[in-house]
Amino acid sequence: MDADVYTLLKEAGRGGNTHANRFMSNRVWYDIDSYDVTSSYPFQQLTQVMPCSKFSYYGDVESEEELDGLLNENACLFRIILTNVRIKKNVPIPYIPTAKLWRHGAGRFDNGRVLSIEWLCMTVTDIDWKIIKAQYDYDSLSISDFYIAKYGYMPESLRKQILYY
């Protein structure tokens, strides 16, 4: 990969979406139970598609319709600017972390997650964008530095090795 793609991947990279349900936090709860999935990475590596080609520069994305079409067919990596961002009603765990914003205006936050904000600049993947679009409303969207790669399964030899282990 070239330096531009590497920079975008570093900006977009994030760990798991670990956060308290904002409607249930700040209270003491009794008689509850929880569980965690023992590492599901091998399952994901065997059954899910992932970027399997180099990211290549796409060019300008002129509309959200064009964006939706690209997202349905490709792994995507791009920068966004959103204005007047606000979380939709009844979203318990906001997705946009302030730590991943490289510029932003004033806003309301829940323990480092955006509830509403005047404007933001962020680097995202197609997966991030689908979650953001499902969780937030906004007035305007600008897109830049748009790259695409093909989705596919890991090579069979690698999948066989995962099964072996």
Side-chain angles (χ1 to χ4, degrees):
M1 75 184 76
D2 65 22
D4 293 333
V5 170
Y6 179 75
T7 299
L8 290 170
L9 288 169
K10 283 193 58 133
E11 290 173 4
R14 62 181 286 165
N17 195 25
T18 305
H19 193 74
N21 179 325
R22 66 191 178 110
F23 303 125
M24 306 298 271
S25 64
N26 207 22
R27 306 178 201 185
V28 176
W29 292 91
Y30 298 95
D31 299 320
I32 62 168
D33 194 11
S34 67
Y35 70 94
D36 193 8
V37 177
T38 304
S39 182
S40 65
Y41 290 118
F43 175 79
Q44 298 299 321
Q45 292 170 323
L46 293 170
T47 63
Q48 301 300 311
V49 293
M50 55 201 63
C52 66
S53 69
K54 276 179 79 168
F55 278 95
S56 57
Y57 183 70
Y58 175 81
D60 293 335
V61 177
E62 301 294 334
S63 67
E64 287 198 49
E65 293 75 28
E66 181 181 6
L67 175 61
D68 290 342
L70 290 164
L71 294 171
N72 287 333
E73 299 293 324
N74 303 282
C76 301
L77 178 65
F78 54 104
R79 289 187 172 126
I80 58 171
I81 299 173
L82 297 174
T83 62
N84 191 23
V85 180
R86 58 238 177 246
I87 197 153
K88 293 179 180 178
K89 188 175 181 174
N90 296 324
V91 173
I93 300 175
Y95 187 74
I96 300 175
T98 56
K100 299 309 286 184
L101 306 179
W102 36 274
R103 287 196 184 121
H104 64 85
R108 287 183 35 247
F109 308 99
D110 172 47
N111 195 24
R113 300 295 179 94
V114 172
L115 295 176
S116 65
I117 199 163
E118 293 174 334
W119 58 272
L120 64 81
C121 302
M122 184 178 179
T123 305
V124 297
T125 66
D126 52 302
I127 296 167
D128 295 321
W129 178 247
K130 288 173 184 175
I131 297 168
I132 290 168
K133 194 169 178 182
Q135 287 195 357
Y136 293 87
D137 291 317
Y138 52 90
D139 286 352
S140 67
L141 163 67
S142 297
I143 299 169
S144 66
D145 305 308
F146 201 93
Y147 287 78
I148 61 173
K150 295 293 176 202
Y151 265 125
Y153 292 99
M154 285 189 170
E156 185 176 347
S157 59
L158 182 54
R159 294 189 306 145
K160 283 182 178 179
Q161 196 66 35
I162 292 167
L163 284 169
Y164 172 78
Y165 285 109

